Amino acid sequence: MKIHTIPKEKGSRRREIRQMKKVITYGSFDLFHEGHYNLLKRAKELGDYLIVGITTEQFDESRGKLNIVDSLIDRIEHVKETGFADLIIIEDHIGQKVEDIQKYGVDIFTLGSDWEGKYDYLKELCEVVYLERTKNVSSTMLRREKYPLIRLGMIGTGRIAARFAPETHFVSGIVLNSVYNPYRKQAEKFATRYGLELYSEEVTEFLEHIDAVYIASPHETHYAYAKQALLMGKHVLCEKPMTLKEEEARELFQIAEERKCVLLEAIKTAFCPGFQRLLSIAKSGTIGQICDVEACFTRLTGENTRERTDKEYGGSFLEFGSQTLLPIFKLMGTEYKEIRFDSICDKNGIDLYTKAYLSYENGMALSKSGVAVKSEGQLLIAGTKGYILAESPWWLTRSFEVRYEDPNKKDTYTAKFLGDGLRYEISDFVNMIHAGEYKSYKFTEEEAIAMAGVMEKFLQKRKENEKGGKRNEDMGT
Ligand code: CTP
């Protein structure tokens, strides 16, 4: 008589797993290396069944681990290839470890010794074991070897430059090493204050010593600096507005493509995890078809500031218009039918408060910016089924609400926003350089060109109104 075995049913396999000694471990497992292999091997030896939690890019970003190189799919594949993992799960939020341990009935939680003590609080739920870390290897080290450090220089030493400099420390793979200012003393002062190696008042010489440049000089100088840097083969991260003419923006992107350089407009909100989330939810159909986007940004600035005194390039729209146009272009697109401006101007002709109305085939949008008029800085996205409200400071997107006809029904979303938020745009800039990827979906070339086009139209309107002697009144088309 032959003995046949009946294949086990799923239920009995589950029962079998339940009885096993289960071990869990977590990591990014980026640029998979020997240290990861050793850890997984020893983790598996601690029990019978190994669960490996792999972090998402968003989760890594939110906990400040920027510049992960491998995609989540690749990282999963590399862990799978070791053959040690019985189950691979995705880790995407804080507090998940506590949930997973209970959900999977974990007996042992383990991590490398670099985490010694950090997870002792889990001892209430299971055994916690720290395994000795393999010496002299880490993803950070490999990233450094694989990609030479990007030497970044900064043009300009103003307010935004001062906020930018410390943020560079949070992104690996890049080092801010120099600064340029046509006034040598200013450059020297900035370099001393932020511990930079070099400073210069001569732009060509300055550009020769770097791989990439961050342009934070006055608006009207962006184009010339960006062009020179790109022609010298340097990657460019340029403060907003990148240029004040559509044709100039087009030309810069053309040069960037020819020279194989990254050209990115530094609209920090575009790169923040929370804003990315808001956009995906807005586009997911939750609020139906998007019909109207209203974005407002006002900051009262002193009478003697550049915003209030520079007759040619000061004013609220040039200062904050890029910020408010960002969600408009992202959600309504760049193909508007018409744009119209209304401004309240100062005696010197500078706009203190500007509304830009955009009309689209299937909707409309409004941008409000102010330097001497204060309003509620909110972002409101109206759809056919509901609306999204992101309150001030929506540009540092930490939370937003989706609301519906029924006021009792509303969903609140929150997201991490670290530091000054500039680190997200710096991180994307670095990742693009490393990947040889010259297009950003977070802020596209098309959007940057359209943005420059709006600035150009606004300046033309302002000129026409000045010629016509209009002051302190409507600047509408
Ligand atoms: N690990 C290890 N030995 C190493 C590097 C990592 O045992 N030389 C362990 C970590 O302690 C952790 C797991 O591998 O338990 C996954 O770590 P991860 O943070 O993904 O790797 P690192 O190389 O430490 O990454 P990074 O340099 O980006 O921090």
Side-chain angles (χ1 to χ4, degrees):
M1 193 181 110
K2 279 187 179 169
I3 308 239
H4 299 280
T5 51
I6 296 170
K8 279 182 190 156
E9 284 169 30
K10 275 190 181 156
S12 65
R13 171 67 184 150
R14 253 186 243 129
R15 255 194 309 280
E16 204 179 280
I17 294 173
R18 222 177 288 140
Q19 283 152 13
M20 287 177 169
K21 190 171 188 184
K22 286 192 225 80
V23 182
I24 199 163
T25 190
Y26 296 85
S28 308
F29 302 101
D30 190 28
L31 298 174
F32 198 87
H33 55 70
E34 190 196 341
H36 294 145
Y37 183 90
N38 292 341
L39 182 108
L40 292 177
K41 184 168 186 285
R42 282 174 298 151
K44 173 76 178 191
E45 286 164 4
L46 290 173
D48 314 304
Y49 189 84
L50 177 65
I51 305 170
V52 182
I54 306 181
T55 50
T56 62
E57 281 97 345
Q58 289 81 356
F59 182 51
D60 275 321
E61 251 180 29
S62 73
R63 61 194 187 124
K65 194 166 183 171
L66 305 168
N67 293 355
I68 294 284
V69 174
D70 289 335
S71 68
L72 177 58
I73 299 291
D74 285 344
R75 291 181 285 127
I76 291 173
E77 213 38 57
H78 297 148
V79 170
K80 218 189 230 172
E81 276 166 14
T82 64
F84 297 129
D86 296 284
L87 177 66
I88 294 176
I89 58 171
I90 305 301
E91 187 186 25
D92 66 0
H93 61 272
I94 297 177
Q96 188 181 325
K97 293 185 176 73
V98 172
E99 291 160 18
D100 291 339
I101 290 170
Q102 296 175 94
K103 179 171 161 190
Y104 297 106
V106 167
D107 302 285
I108 301 176
F109 169 91
T110 186
L111 275 184
S113 49
D114 44 327
W115 297 100
E116 188 82 52
K118 191 96 198 279
Y119 289 96
D120 284 357
Y121 68 91
L122 294 174
K123 283 183 181 165
E124 271 183 24
L125 300 169
C126 65
E127 194 181 331
V128 175
V129 176
Y130 300 102
L131 293 167
E132 177 138 6
R133 197 177 151 90
T134 308
K135 296 202 168 49
N136 302 324
V137 62
S138 74
S139 304
T140 307
M141 260 171 66
L142 294 178
R143 277 193 287 266
R144 267 192 212 129
E145 277 167 25
K146 192 166 171 169
Y147 302 110
L149 202 59
I150 300 164
R151 297 165 305 163
L152 179 73
M154 186 187 280
I155 293 185
T157 53
R159 277 170 289 164
I160 183 74
R163 281 164 47 210
F164 184 93
E167 286 275 314
T168 58
H169 299 303
F170 295 94
V171 183
S172 57
I174 194 160
V175 63
L176 178 65
N177 74 347
S178 53
V179 65
Y180 159 84
N181 188 307
Y183 304 102
R184 190 199 161 112
K185 277 256 163 298
Q186 295 285 348
E188 184 180 5
K189 201 168 138 200
F190 193 90
T192 313
R193 179 148 181 222
Y194 293 99
L196 312 185
E197 275 171 46
L198 309 164
Y199 62 90
S200 178
E201 74 279 25
E202 209 286 290
V203 74
T204 308
E205 185 193 62
F206 156 80
L207 287 168
E208 274 162 4
H209 287 87
I210 55 176
D211 309 302
V213 66
Y214 168 60
I215 302 174
S217 48
H219 308 325
E220 68 279 16
T221 63
H222 292 172
Y223 164 71
Y225 285 136
K227 185 170 173 178
Q228 181 173 1
L230 290 169
L231 286 171
M232 287 174 71
K234 312 296 171 185
H235 304 287
V236 172
L237 177 64
C238 185
E239 257 314 317
K240 57 189 179 314
M242 186 169 77
T243 68
L244 301 170
K245 287 196 178 123
E246 191 172 319
E247 204 35 53
E248 290 177 352
R250 235 180 260 287
E251 185 193 348
L252 291 183
F253 279 109
Q254 177 75 33
I255 303 173
E257 194 174 341
E258 285 162 14
R259 304 285 157 141
K260 296 200 168 11
C261 288
V262 172
L263 169 64
L264 197 62
E265 185 162 352
I267 302 195
K268 76 172 175 186
T269 309
F271 305 93
C272 294
F275 186 70
Q276 284 297 312
R277 186 112 194 263
L278 181 146
L279 292 181
S280 348
I281 288 172
K283 288 177 180 169
S284 71
T286 321
I287 58 163
Q289 193 193 324
I290 299 171
C291 300
D292 188 17
V293 178
E294 279 182 51
C296 176
F297 189 110
T298 62
R299 182 181 294 141
L300 297 181
T301 50
E303 277 186 41
N304 298 322
T305 55
R306 177 181 50 76
E307 292 90 327
R308 302 275 305 265
T309 52
D310 182 345
K311 283 191 194 166
E312 226 170 325
Y313 302 106
S316 69
F317 194 68
L318 288 198
E319 199 56 31
F320 303 131
S322 318
Q323 188 66 59
T324 45
L325 285 172
L326 170 71
I328 295 175
F329 281 175
K330 285 272 140 227
L331 295 166
M332 303 299 291
T334 54
E335 300 281 313
Y336 54 86
K337 285 195 304 181
E338 198 198 344
I339 187 160
R340 206 165 59 81
F341 305 99
D342 278 340
S343 294
I344 293 171
C345 298
D346 209 349
K347 287 185 276 302
N348 56 12
I350 288 175
D351 64 303
L352 301 175
Y353 184 64
T354 288
K355 280 185 174 181
Y357 306 88
L358 292 93
S359 60
Y360 287 85
E361 201 71 63
N362 291 313
M364 58 197 76
L366 173 66
S367 134
K368 294 197 275 183
S369 49
V371 288
V373 173
K374 191 71 198 160
S375 183
E376 183 62 43
Q378 63 179 20
L379 170 61
L380 190 54
I381 305 158
T384 50
K385 292 186 186 157
Y387 65 97
I388 295 179
L389 175 65
E391 287 181 342
S392 169
W394 61 264
W395 49 94
L396 320 176
T397 328
R398 287 193 180 88
S399 74
F400 58 92
E401 277 185 3
V402 182
R403 297 184 184 175
Y404 305 91
E405 181 67 36
D406 176 358
N408 297 314
K409 199 178 150 209
K410 72 177 162 196
D411 304 313
T412 305
Y413 295 85
T414 54
K416 258 260 172 78
F417 180 89
L418 298 171
D420 225 332
L422 293 158
R423 64 191 69 178
Y424 300 113
E425 73 188 19
I426 304 170
S427 162
D428 271 48
F429 184 58
V430 170
N431 288 341
M432 286 168 75
I433 296 173
H434 283 164
E437 178 56 69
Y438 304 115
K439 312 252 178 227
S440 166
Y441 73 92
K442 293 184 186 169
F443 192 63
T444 67
E445 181 175 329
E446 190 196 352
E447 286 157 354
I449 292 172
M451 202 77 101
V454 173
M455 294 299 155
E456 185 171 358
K457 287 190 180 88
F458 177 77
L459 283 176
Q460 266 166 10
K461 197 79 240 154
R462 188 149 89 177
K463 266 211 182 97
E464 282 166 26
N465 286 339
E466 265 165 30
K467 273 193 204 139
K470 283 195 181 185
R471 287 277 187 273
N472 249 340
E473 56 185 284
D474 171 33
M475 289 201 341
T477 49

